[in-house]
Amino acid sequence: MILVADSGSSKTDWMAYSPNHTLSFSTQGINPYFVNAHDVVRILSKNRDLSAYATAIKEVYFFGSGCSTPDKHEIISNGLSSFFTNAFISVDHDLIGSAYATCGDKKGLTCILGTGSNISYFDGVNVHSGKHGLGYVLGDEGSGTFFGRKVLTSYLYHTMPAELSEVFAKTFEVNKDIVINNIYQKPFPNSYLATFSRFMIAHKAHPFIQQMLKEGFQEFIDTNVKDYKAYKTLECNFVGSIAYYYRDELRAVFAENNIKVGKILQKPIEGIYDYILKREGITA
């Protein structure tokens, strides 16, 4: 069996191939900046389906957020090897998986707008990472964490319109002490912040949210996209829930900047899975 994974900080999507069928699973996000090898095994062990097929899996292709350096590769690889004891393990950055899913074998920019954000140039064969992807403290422009922080601080600073603030207070249990504790004392602060971005979905027609989205996507363009000299000649492709759920707003801001938008996928796992099987010469 062949297992393919696409992992963000909040969730990991898995697809497994065997000659008889295709299986799909999901687990908690596996980001080496927030978990160690033992955590990886613990997370996988919670999924009964993955546990049932653990020894039958012969190849694992894992594409994950935070897997951009050898030491981070090793954390994930060690965890996967301990769980899938009979498998060849391949670990790569999620930007590579996103490029496979959106660009295929064509040149383009591949962008992630999910819990976090990132961008890279794909030449049709290789991904060329830049200086971006600085994480939720320094970067993540236009991401769920970015917008979640904007929504949360606007509520706490009382700059959110009263009609939205009233609904927000009924939706989330939030005060300064709770927020500080979750961000500075508990694990996965980026995912915690990103949960508040969901508030925008039900209220995205409100001018306050529309302006927030416009400014956030413009910041992503100014900080990330425009750093590539040929950005106006390339298609910008996207994966992630923020890009998908706010695709109309995203396309509008990119159009204002004369930038072409290509594919927008909520989840790249199926595209990555198809690419890997094709590369391995397998017809599903």
Side-chain angles (χ1 to χ4, degrees):
M1 295 180 72
I2 296 176
L3 183 64
V4 180
D6 171 67
S7 182
S9 295
S10 300
K11 184 181 178 183
T12 305
D13 293 312
W14 306 79
M15 290 186 71
Y17 168 82
S18 73
N20 298 321
H21 53 270
T22 296
L23 302 169
S24 297
F25 317 102
S26 64
T27 65
Q28 174 187 325
I30 299 174
N31 184 324
Y33 281 93
F34 301 106
V35 301
N36 57 38
H38 295 294
D39 293 327
V40 173
V41 175
R42 176 181 54 79
I43 291 168
L44 297 179
S45 298
K46 289 181 178 180
N47 188 290
R48 293 182 179 179
D49 293 319
L50 282 174
S51 297
Y53 291 102
T55 57
I57 300 235
K58 303 302 181 184
E59 300 174 47
V60 177
Y61 298 92
F62 184 95
F63 299 88
S65 176
C67 299
S68 56
T69 59
D71 61 320
K72 301 305 179 188
H73 278 210
E74 186 176 3
I75 291 171
I76 302 302
S77 182
N78 287 345
L80 294 174
S81 297
S82 296
F83 189 80
F84 301 108
T85 54
N86 297 323
F88 159 80
I89 306 294
S90 172
V91 177
D92 275 310
H93 199 282
D94 56 347
L95 280 169
I96 295 176
S98 297
Y100 291 162
T102 59
C103 298
D105 56 3
K106 297 179 181 179
K107 296 179 180 179
L109 294 173
T110 181
C111 310
I112 295 173
L113 286 179
T115 299
S117 71
N118 210 337
I119 186 173
S120 67
Y121 168 65
F122 185 61
D123 65 11
V125 178
N126 297 307
V127 169
H128 302 270
S129 298
K131 59 189 180 184
H132 311 95
L134 297 180
Y136 76 100
V137 175
L138 301 177
D140 277 351
E141 300 83 9
S143 70
T145 298
F146 174 91
F147 286 121
R149 183 171 61 244
K150 293 286 187 181
V151 169
L152 180 59
T153 54
S154 71
Y155 172 77
L156 294 173
Y157 285 142
H158 304 293
T159 57
M160 179 183 286
E163 64 274 18
L164 289 180
S165 184
E166 183 178 347
V167 178
F168 187 90
K170 294 178 180 178
T171 306
F172 301 100
E173 183 182 359
V174 164
N175 60 45
K176 181 180 178 180
D177 291 337
I178 291 174
V179 170
I180 295 298
N181 185 48
N182 276 278
I183 292 176
Y184 296 104
Q185 300 297 325
K186 293 186 178 182
F188 311 113
N190 59 331
S191 295
Y192 171 74
L193 286 171
T195 60
F196 297 104
S197 69
R198 300 170 189 168
F199 180 76
M200 300 190 303
I201 295 176
H203 307 282
K204 70 175 184 177
H206 195 286
F208 181 77
I209 301 299
Q210 283 289 305
Q211 185 63 28
M212 186 178 290
L213 288 167
K214 183 175 182 179
E215 291 176 357
F217 291 144
Q218 186 62 53
E219 187 167 342
F220 180 81
I221 290 171
D222 293 339
T223 305
N224 297 276
V225 179
K226 289 185 177 180
D227 199 42
Y228 292 87
K229 293 181 180 179
Y231 73 91
K232 286 192 176 181
T233 67
L234 297 168
E235 275 193 343
C236 258
N237 301 281
F238 294 86
V239 301
S241 57
I242 295 296
Y244 182 79
Y245 285 116
Y246 306 107
R247 55 192 179 276
D248 292 338
E249 290 79 8
L250 178 72
R251 289 186 185 277
V253 176
F254 272 70
E256 290 177 3
N257 287 267
N258 297 311
I259 302 171
K260 292 180 288 186
V261 173
K263 290 183 179 179
I264 300 178
L265 305 177
Q266 181 181 6
K267 298 179 180 181
I269 183 62
E270 290 188 7
I272 300 172
Y273 176 80
D274 290 342
Y275 184 94
I276 293 296
L277 293 191
K278 181 179 178 182
R279 189 181 68 182
E280 298 299 307
I282 298 171
T283 302

